[in-house]
């Protein structure tokens, strides 16, 4: 178990460590180092499992039939399903025909009425029933959705569809991933490949924007998902200090760091107490470190860094003739 600051303080309280040692650890520790990557050399055998190219026999993406009905899903196989059903005029295809900036608020309920944490479940279970303003693309192995409350101009989520979590369920988070489990290794490889493809597609389509790929230390929603998000943060959905710090501090962990930890044979363990503290940090621009007193002040300042993003047409302007806009 890594000797985190919180663990050191507990040891000191139980008088297992002298105060001098606690002070030394406090001064030397990096409180933002939420995900521990071992310093020891990675086992070649383990590392090879995360770098070997594997055949993706199930990666062929599906084309959904037109006008497929959608029924809201239950949060688990034992919970009751919602009964709302909505006709879909244009479900998602292999590559969405619509601009990923055209995300709109979902018209169907989540996994269970009022259950925000399970709102991603219907996308995993029935991606073919959602329009292109919700689902960008999908296959038997994964689904790429447009975040319905985007915190930036382009904000997508990549999710694995394999039921290889505890008790045959979907993976809840990266902490479920076991580097010794071959099925989990394959999931990591597939996620890495799909995230790379999506990021490259977005960079090509929006060359004026920068992108990052990663996860939240403490996700607000169940079901493992990786963010592909542009770094302009021009969005009316970006409203709070927590929103801002969750994407611009160490609370946001790069996917490559997650992969490196698993490749080293280590499971992912997040320091949730330290992570929550990061959300309370002062507002500081991620580009120039300029401090801001309020979110409106920060958002006004961000516009000086993203003139091209602001000058670009809005989602509804780009899809003005679309029945999905």
């Amino acid at each position: 178990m890594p000797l985190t600051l919180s663990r050191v303080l507990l040891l000191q309280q139980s008088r297992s460590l002298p105060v001098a040692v606690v002070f030394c650890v406090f001064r030397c520790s990096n409180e933002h180092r939420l995900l521990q990557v071992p310093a020891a050399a990675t086992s070649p055998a383990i590392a090879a499992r995360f770098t070997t190219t594997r055949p993706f026999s199930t990666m062929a993406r599906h084309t959904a039939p037109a006008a497929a009905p959608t029924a809201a899903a239950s949060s688990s196989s034992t919970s009751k399903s919602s009964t709302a059903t909505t006709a879909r005029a244009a479900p998602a295809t292999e590559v969405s025909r619509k601009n990923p900036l055209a995300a709109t608020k979902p018209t169907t309920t989540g996994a269970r009425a009022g259950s925000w944490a399970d709102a991603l479940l219907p996308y995993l279970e029935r991606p073919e029933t959602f329009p292109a303003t919700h689902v960008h693309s999908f296959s038997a192995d994964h689904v790429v959705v447009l975040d319905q409350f985007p915190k930036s101009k382009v904000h997508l989520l990549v999710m694995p569809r394999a039921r290889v979590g505890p008790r045959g369920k979907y993976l809840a988070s990266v902490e479920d991933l076991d580097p010794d489990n071959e099925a989990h290794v394959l999931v990591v490889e597939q996620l890495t490949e799909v995230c790379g493809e999506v990021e490259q597609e977005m960079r090509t389509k929006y060359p004026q924007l920068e992108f990052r790929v990663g996860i939240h230390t403490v996700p607000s929603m169940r079901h493992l998902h990786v963010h592909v998000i542009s770094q302009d943060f021009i969005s009316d959905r970006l409203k709070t200090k927590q929103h801002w710090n969750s994407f611009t501090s160490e609370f946001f962990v790069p996917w490559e760091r997650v992969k490196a930890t698993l490749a080293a044979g280590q499971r992912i363990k997040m320091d949730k107490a330290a992570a929550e503290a990061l959300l309370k940090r002062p507002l500081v621009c991620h580009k120039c470190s300029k401090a801001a007193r309020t979110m409106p002040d920060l958002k006004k300042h961000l516009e000086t860094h993203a003139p091209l993003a602001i000058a670009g047409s809005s989602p509804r302007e780009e899809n003005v003739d679309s029945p999905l806009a």
Side-chain angles (χ1 to χ4, degrees), residues 62-70 86-98 126-138 324:
H62 297 192
T63 299
T70 299
T86 306
R88 300 293 176 186
T93 57
E94 175 180 349
V95 176
S96 171
R97 296 183 298 276
K98 306 304 171 191
R126 301 179 313 281
E128 70 280 359
T129 64
F130 287 89
T133 50
H134 287 237
V135 175
H136 172 268
S137 60
F138 67 95
L324 302 178

Side-chain angles (χ1 to χ4, degrees), residues 18-322:
V19 174
V21 174
V22 175
F23 178 76
C24 180
V25 173
F26 180 82
R27 289 291 304 274
C28 298
S29 66
N30 179 358
E31 66 178 355
H32 302 326
R33 192 180 178 191
L34 307 176
L35 190 156
Q36 300 290 334
V37 180
T42 302
S43 166
I46 295 177
R49 294 162 58 192
F50 286 86
T51 56
T52 303
T53 301
R54 293 172 178 267
F56 292 89
S57 58
T58 57
M59 288 292 284
R61 295 172 181 171
H62 297 192
T63 299
T70 299
S74 63
S75 59
S76 67
S77 58
T78 58
S79 63
K80 294 182 179 180
S81 301
S82 301
T83 57
T85 302
T86 306
R88 300 293 176 186
T93 57
E94 175 180 349
V95 176
S96 171
R97 296 183 298 276
K98 306 304 171 191
N99 191 315
L101 304 186
T104 56
K105 187 175 181 179
T107 55
T108 56
T109 61
R112 184 173 61 249
S115 179
W116 170 256
D118 286 321
L120 296 177
L121 183 60
Y123 296 119
L124 291 170
E125 295 188 330
R126 301 179 313 281
E128 70 280 359
T129 64
F130 287 89
T133 50
H134 287 237
V135 175
H136 172 268
S137 60
F138 67 95
S139 75
D141 303 306
H142 73 273
V143 59
V144 182
V145 305
L146 285 74
D147 194 306
Q148 297 301 295
F149 297 89
K151 302 305 185 290
S152 205
K153 278 285 188 179
V154 180
H155 189 179
L156 302 100
L157 308 176
V158 181
M159 299 184 289
R161 299 183 68 194
R163 290 179 176 270
V164 293
R167 298 180 296 279
K169 295 184 178 181
Y170 294 113
L171 293 163
S173 72
V174 293
E175 291 186 294
D176 282 349
L177 293 170
D178 182 353
D180 295 322
N181 185 314
E182 288 295 332
H184 292 186
V185 172
L186 181 59
V187 165
V188 173
E189 292 178 350
Q190 291 174 338
L191 278 176
T192 301
E193 180 168 325
V194 175
C195 286
E197 291 175 352
V198 173
E199 181 184 13
Q200 185 56 50
E201 178 186 348
M202 295 301 108
R203 287 182 182 276
T204 300
K205 193 166 187 178
Y206 307 102
Q208 76 275 24
L209 301 178
E210 299 176 4
F211 290 86
R212 291 186 74 195
V213 178
I215 62 167
H216 279 154
T217 303
V218 184
S220 60
M221 305 178 77
R222 274 188 289 271
H223 308 305
L224 172 59
H225 56 280
V226 184
H227 298 263
V228 179
I229 183 169
S230 58
Q231 296 301 288
D232 53 275
F233 297 107
I234 303 299
S235 171
D236 59 0
R237 298 292 188 176
L238 185 72
K239 298 180 178 180
T240 69
K241 178 189 293 187
Q242 288 74 21
H243 288 165
W244 174 254
N245 285 328
S246 71
F247 285 100
T248 60
S249 73
E250 292 85 350
F251 190 93
F252 188 83
V253 181
W255 178 250
E256 284 301 319
R257 192 176 179 191
V258 173
K259 182 182 174 183
T261 301
L262 294 167
Q266 300 293 314
R267 295 195 67 149
I268 305 296
K269 185 62 178 177
M270 300 296 189
D271 187 336
K272 294 179 174 59
E276 294 294 345
L278 289 172
L279 298 179
K280 301 176 183 178
R281 292 202 317 187
L283 296 171
V284 177
C285 176
H286 66 311
K287 294 285 189 180
C288 66
S289 300
K290 178 180 175 60
R293 188 174 59 87
T294 65
M295 278 301 297
D297 290 342
L298 175 63
K299 296 182 73 171
K300 184 176 181 179
H301 170 74
L302 291 177
E303 293 178 0
T304 65
H305 291 295
L308 293 178
I310 298 171
S313 55
S314 69
R316 290 198 177 277
E317 289 171 339
E318 292 183 358
N319 295 275
V320 65
D321 297 325
S322 170

